Amino acid sequence: MKTIVIYNSQTGFTKRYAEWIAEAARADCLALSDAQKKDLDAYEAIVYGGWACAGNISKISWFKKNMDKWADKKLIAFCVGASPIENPEIEVALNRIFNESEKKKAKIFYCPGGFNYDKMSTASKLMMKMFIKTLKAKKDKTEQDQVMIKMISSSYDISDKKYIEPILQCLKE
């Protein structure tokens, strides 16, 4: 199946996953900025990956607005975030981002990545500092709040190739 993996990455985690998927699936792999200039008609499967931020997926609107045009293709979207895969908020967010009709057209996946403050934009760093400050100032912090503060206070990497297996399986079906 002729496949393309398209990604939008800020700090490299989404790009890493896109490259892993493309390598394993023997697919083409392009940054979104390059893919937007390319004719995708020849592809039978289109995989889009974006980074998770504030309950959304970066540039997911591009993918969603093209879903009807790609109705004859296998469509997969994945997002890469800083939360461990067990976080129940992930499913809540994905269900908010994709409505039932969209979930019938595309399969949706989550891959844990991490934080790399050295590669973050100034705006993203500022947003994270404000978020951490707000969490620290919160009265009656929950255990989950404490874990979150500890996790996002510095860079870390929880990405792993094993998280692409469900995506690869979906491509084979």
Side-chain angles (χ1 to χ4, degrees):
M1 175 181 302
K2 188 164 170 73
T3 303
I4 187 166
V5 181
I6 300 165
Y7 66 90
N8 183 48
S9 187
Q10 180 184 31
T11 61
F13 293 104
T14 307
K15 180 180 181 185
R16 177 186 300 157
Y17 274 107
E19 289 172 345
W20 285 343
I21 294 164
E23 179 182 356
R26 293 192 167 98
D28 293 338
C29 187
L30 288 175
L32 177 60
S33 57
D34 295 324
Q36 289 174 316
K37 302 169 197 165
K38 186 171 176 68
D39 180 2
L40 303 178
D41 288 342
Y43 292 98
E44 299 165 274
I46 298 173
V47 180
Y48 175 75
W51 49 281
C53 180
N56 209 346
I57 302 171
S58 65
K59 308 292 183 182
I60 196 64
S61 58
W62 171 81
F63 180 79
K64 289 171 69 169
K65 79 176 181 191
N66 284 296
M67 287 172 66
D68 286 336
K69 181 171 79 174
W70 299 330
D72 62 331
K73 302 178 186 312
K74 179 171 282 203
L75 300 177
I76 297 172
F78 71 94
C79 71
V80 179
S83 293
I85 203 156
E86 305 84 23
N87 185 336
E89 295 298 315
I90 294 165
E91 189 173 342
V92 172
L94 293 178
N95 285 329
R96 195 172 45 248
I97 296 166
F98 292 93
N99 65 38
E100 289 306 314
S101 172
E102 291 165 337
K103 286 191 276 188
K104 288 177 183 169
K105 297 173 189 173
K107 298 291 182 198
I108 317 301
F109 298 91
Y110 175 80
C111 300
F115 270 113
N116 186 335
Y117 282 101
D118 292 338
K119 292 186 178 180
M120 270 187 197
S121 68
T122 302
S124 290
K125 284 181 195 177
L126 182 60
M127 182 179 72
M128 290 310 302
K129 282 185 181 187
M130 289 172 32
F131 180 61
I132 292 167
K133 187 176 179 178
T134 301
L135 273 178
K136 285 181 175 179
K138 185 178 174 183
K139 292 179 182 162
D140 302 321
K141 286 185 232 17
T142 64
E143 185 178 330
Q144 188 176 3
D145 292 335
Q146 297 286 12
V147 169
M148 178 72 79
I149 291 166
K150 186 176 179 186
M151 276 185 74
I152 64 176
S153 291
S154 60
S155 296
Y156 63 93
D157 183 349
I158 55 174
S159 60
D160 191 310
K161 271 189 178 181
K162 70 183 179 186
Y163 297 116
I164 69 169
E165 288 306 320
I167 298 169
L168 297 174
Q169 187 60 44
C170 183
L171 281 170
K172 290 177 186 173
E173 293 171 355

